Amino acid sequence: MAETIFSKIIRREIPADILYEDERCLAFRDVNPQAPVHVLVIPREPMESLATAPAEAAGLLGHLLLKAAHVARQEKLESWRTVINTGAEAGQTVFHLHVHVIGGRPLAWPPG
Ligand code: AMP
């Protein structure tokens, strides 16, 4: 897959406000937050999107969701939304799979 800005964050070539990291993933604040808390959880191993995620990624995908919840609790959220935009028409702009963790304000449903 083509390199994205998230690879540069993983390699510390550009700055990010990193809240959590381990051997499989990284969580950092979104540069254009849509709520008081807006964090992105990304795998270190680049993967374009859920659309192309292989079956072997099942464990990693579960890890990302559990760490999304970890970061939400770390940010003292009681309610939050996790979003994975898949494909340009769904709003995906960075083609390195990421889980948005959004909270800190009431969230309307359905999303736009
Ligand atoms: P998506 O539109 O679902 O692909 O989400 C990509 C997200 O990455 C957007 O919410 C952007 O604001 C965010 N983003 C892009 N560049 C950076 C960056 N350098 N640091 C943190 N967040 C970023």
Side-chain angles (χ1 to χ4, degrees), residues 5-6 9 14-16 28-34 38 40 83-86 90-96 98 100:
I5 193 143
F6 290 174
I9 289 176
I14 61 167
F28 53 90
R29 290 194 198 282
D30 195 294
V31 78
N32 182 24
Q34 302 302 310
H38 188 167
L40 302 174
V83 173
I84 303 176
N85 293 323
T86 303
Q92 186 173 6
T93 57
V94 178
F95 287 81
H96 179 133
H98 50 281
H100 294 259

Side-chain angles (χ1 to χ4, degrees), residues 2 4 6 12 31-32 37 67 75 78 87 94 99 105:
T4 72
F6 290 174
R12 303 294 209 272
V31 78
N32 182 24
V37 176
K67 293 310 169 186
E75 290 295 297
E78 288 179 7
V94 178
V99 181
R105 66 166 170 82

Side-chain angles (χ1 to χ4, degrees), residues 73-89:
R73 286 192 297 268
Q74 197 174 283
E75 290 295 297
K76 313 272 188 258
L77 296 178
E78 288 179 7
S79 302
W80 65 87
R81 184 169 294 164
T82 46
V83 173
I84 303 176
N85 293 323
T86 303
E89 280 192 23

Side-chain angles (χ1 to χ4, degrees), residues 1 6 10 19 22-23 25-26 36 40-41 44 48 62-63 67-68 73 76 84 86-87 89 91 94 101 104 106 111:
M1 63 174 259
F6 290 174
I10 291 168
L19 302 180
D22 62 28
E23 70 290 352
C25 74
L26 208 67
L40 302 174
V41 185
R44 286 188 188 276
E48 228 172 76
H63 185 74
K67 293 310 169 186
R73 286 192 297 268
K76 313 272 188 258
I84 303 176
T86 303
E89 280 192 23
V94 178
V101 180

